[in-house]
Amino acid sequence: MSNLSQQLSLEKLVFSEFLTRFGHAPEIFRAPGRINLIGDHTDYHQGFVLPAAVDVYITLAIQVSSSSQNRIYSLDFNSYAEFEFSQLSLETIDNQWLKYVYGMLSWIHAIDTDFPSIDLVIGGNIPVGGGMSSSAALCNALGIAFARVAQLTIEPQQIIFAAQATEHRFAGVNCGIMDQFASMFGKDQQAIFLDCQTLTHEYVYLDLRKHCFVLFDTAVKHSLAESEYNQRQIECKQALDSIRADYPQIQSLRDVNKELLYHFQSRLPELNFNRCLFVIEENERVLQSVELLRGAKFEEFGQMMTDSHQGLRFKYEVSCEELDFLVETCVPLSGTYGARMMGGGFGGCTINFLERNQKQQIIQSCKNAFQAKYQRELKVYEVEIVDGARMFID
Ligand code: GLA
């Protein structure tokens, strides 16, 4: 089934599940997952990223509750919760999806103290753990849905900050703003060139008639992922603190160029130096990639992607064996322009930039190689770039 028809049936599914469970009609909201063309682990250093929203979604059916309780059902996890908001606390929630709902509910209750109880069904086709930011999509969709229920006009920017804060405070990951931004502000056929320092963005048109992005999912999620993600921030901060001793005006790695970093090389542990060097180089790659894509220089852009992977692997050290294997398998194939791990790392997906008419051979070769090496099937997602979050009106 194509992603589009899957989505249409998803809307029907959450709608009819809602009707059956709660006996009244809901409104439907959805927010897409994202890919990131290039610029990983730069957003929380106030750097540059180049993501895009893609045609996999979290879809919600919601309405003011006909009971005094919040009644919430997750289709994917086949899990139901019923509670009064004031009686719930983070410590008592043992499933991750409900933590996100609780985080966003806490946000809207702080804005609207009369926020009513809700009936809610959550569905989706964003592979959980696949690195396409299902949690950012969930929070964004909840944000626009709650604003509607509260009958408040809330700026999308406010919603993405609430979604990011939920990730920090309720899920314990100190993420940047890329995922939430891409899922909210995505645009059909465009990548988003985002400056995470100023939050200014430009769209970069992608002519993908002859090219495409395909994701290969390692289906690995190392338990390290969250702790190492936060650890990278600590390592870079240690380096920044040393640099700041001489240059107190420096706020983030965005204010450090290569020359300055090399100037401090002898005073920094090698590990911290490499982490910072990666971030500075990755920012440069994003800037170059935007120019290359605008000039339809796809081969050079593909090389940027592959260089990005090398940096993530050897300098920032957030890759893993399966990701490296997939990149090494895909890059030499005819019709591949570039490949890299995508997102936080330690598992999840690689993103592969391919010649459209050679896509199937490339996918098959990578599937065969993965099966031979790991004795399991490689999951493949063929994605197209779409618009960001919205209310879904039939
Ligand atoms: C995760 C985070 C993002 C970003 C990426 C790495 O997806 O949520 O904010 O840091 O990792 O680029």
Side-chain angles (χ1 to χ4, degrees), residues 3 6-7 10 30-35 54-59 76-77 123-139 141 183 215 217 381 383:
N3 287 350
Q6 263 189 38
Q7 176 55 23
L10 193 59
R30 71 179 195 195
R34 65 105 187 90
I35 55 174
V54 287
D55 57 341
V56 284
Y57 298 89
I58 293 289
T59 303
D76 291 336
F77 297 105
N125 59 357
I126 307 180
V128 174
M132 278 188 272
S133 301
S134 52
S135 57
L138 171 61
C139 292
S183 171
L215 308 185
D217 188 354
Y381 312 123
V383 289

Side-chain angles (χ1 to χ4, degrees), residues 139 159-169 173 175-177 180:
C139 292
I159 295 175
I160 67 171
F161 289 136
Q164 183 191 30
T166 292
E167 200 80 56
H168 290 188
R169 297 199 351 247
V173 181
C175 65
I177 197 71
Q180 296 77 7

Side-chain angles (χ1 to χ4, degrees), residues 289-351:
S289 294
V290 168
E291 291 314 310
L292 291 170
L293 284 168
R294 287 193 167 135
K297 297 201 168 122
F298 293 127
E299 292 207 5
E300 289 97 324
F301 166 64
Q303 185 59 47
M304 287 285 150
M305 291 177 70
T306 309
D307 291 348
S308 162
H309 183 78
Q310 298 310 318
L312 289 157
R313 178 179 180 180
F314 294 113
K315 293 190 180 126
Y316 215 65
E317 296 184 280
V318 287
S319 187
C320 68
E321 188 207 304
E322 294 86 348
L323 289 166
D324 297 338
F325 176 78
L326 283 171
V327 168
E328 276 167 11
T329 305
C330 191
V331 167
L333 299 175
S334 156
T336 299
Y337 288 86
R340 54 186 287 274
M341 58 149 275
M342 184 182 80
F346 300 100
C349 289
T350 61
I351 177 167

Side-chain angles (χ1 to χ4, degrees), residues 21-22 26 36 83 86 103 114 124 147 163 180 212 255-256 269 276 307 309 318-319 323 326 341 343:
R21 273 184 181 267
F22 304 123
N36 187 23
F83 56 89
S86 59
D114 294 327
Q180 296 77 7
C212 59
D255 305 326
V256 180
C276 296
D307 291 348
H309 183 78
V318 287
S319 187
L323 289 166
L326 283 171
M341 58 149 275

Side-chain angles (χ1 to χ4, degrees), residues 72-367:
I72 303 181
Y73 178 63
S74 162
L75 267 169
D76 291 336
F77 297 105
N78 186 21
S79 169
Y80 179 72
E82 191 169 318
F83 56 89
E84 265 174 45
F85 175 71
S86 59
Q87 272 155 20
L88 203 63
S89 70
L90 190 56
E91 297 69 45
T92 56
I93 303 176
D94 52 12
N95 54 33
Q96 197 70 7
W97 70 267
L98 193 55
K99 286 187 185 167
Y100 290 112
V101 178
Y102 182 58
M104 292 305 288
L105 272 176
S106 304
W107 163 74
I108 197 71
H109 274 267
I111 297 175
D112 175 8
T113 44
D114 294 327
F115 191 74
S117 295
I118 48 159
D119 291 338
L120 172 66
V121 171
I122 304 169
N125 59 357
I126 307 180
V128 174
M132 278 188 272
S133 301
S134 52
S135 57
L138 171 61
C139 292
N140 277 352
L142 289 169
I144 54 174
F146 291 171
R148 167 91 176 175
V149 168
Q151 297 181 343
L152 292 173
T153 307
I154 299 180
E155 289 299 318
Q157 281 234 359
Q158 247 185 288
I159 295 175
I160 67 171
F161 289 136
Q164 183 191 30
T166 292
E167 200 80 56
H168 290 188
R169 297 199 351 247
F170 295 82
V173 181
N174 296 326
C175 65
I177 197 71
M178 169 173 73
D179 304 346
Q180 296 77 7
F181 198 100
S183 171
M184 185 65 82
F185 296 105
K187 223 180 199 163
D188 188 25
Q189 300 186 60
Q190 321 262 351
I192 307 165
F193 169 38
L194 172 64
D195 178 341
C196 299
Q197 187 172 51
T198 58
L199 285 191
T200 48
H201 67 287
E202 286 169 29
Y203 291 103
V204 179
Y205 171 69
L206 298 172
D207 180 356
L208 293 178
R209 279 170 303 179
K210 294 192 177 142
H211 302 85
C212 59
F213 291 101
V214 174
L215 308 185
F216 295 151
D217 188 354
T218 60
V220 172
K221 182 165 169 43
H222 288 293
S223 54
L224 289 174
E226 269 120 48
S227 59
E228 287 292 314
Y229 185 94
N230 294 343
Q231 178 60 23
R232 291 298 171 277
Q233 307 194 10
I234 296 170
E235 289 159 359
C236 291
K237 182 174 177 304
Q238 286 165 346
L240 267 182
D241 286 344
S242 307
I243 300 173
R244 268 196 214 113
D246 288 7
Y247 295 90
Q249 71 277 22
I250 282 179
Q251 307 270 329
S252 70
L253 276 179
R254 176 67 178 280
D255 305 326
V256 180
N257 60 25
K258 259 191 196 168
E259 198 189 340
L260 185 61
L261 183 67
Y262 274 103
H263 177 72
F264 278 85
Q265 185 172 15
S266 59
R267 286 149 68 180
L268 298 175
E270 194 185 353
L271 180 140
N272 303 55
F273 174 81
N274 280 334
R275 303 290 193 248
C276 296
L277 183 57
F278 163 76
V279 174
I280 294 169
E281 289 177 344
E282 185 77 350
N283 277 328
E284 289 173 357
R285 279 189 284 266
V286 176
L287 295 176
Q288 289 172 39
S289 294
V290 168
E291 291 314 310
L292 291 170
L293 284 168
R294 287 193 167 135
K297 297 201 168 122
F298 293 127
E299 292 207 5
E300 289 97 324
F301 166 64
Q303 185 59 47
M304 287 285 150
M305 291 177 70
T306 309
D307 291 348
S308 162
H309 183 78
Q310 298 310 318
L312 289 157
R313 178 179 180 180
F314 294 113
K315 293 190 180 126
Y316 215 65
E317 296 184 280
V318 287
S319 187
C320 68
E321 188 207 304
E322 294 86 348
L323 289 166
D324 297 338
F325 176 78
L326 283 171
V327 168
E328 276 167 11
T329 305
C330 191
V331 167
L333 299 175
S334 156
T336 299
Y337 288 86
R340 54 186 287 274
M341 58 149 275
M342 184 182 80
F346 300 100
C349 289
T350 61
I351 177 167
N352 305 275
F353 185 46
L354 311 178
E355 185 93 37
R356 215 174 253 280
N357 65 13
Q358 296 200 58
K359 171 174 79 172
Q360 290 315 331
Q361 295 96 290
I362 296 170
I363 291 175
Q364 199 50 55
S365 304
C366 291
K367 276 187 153 186

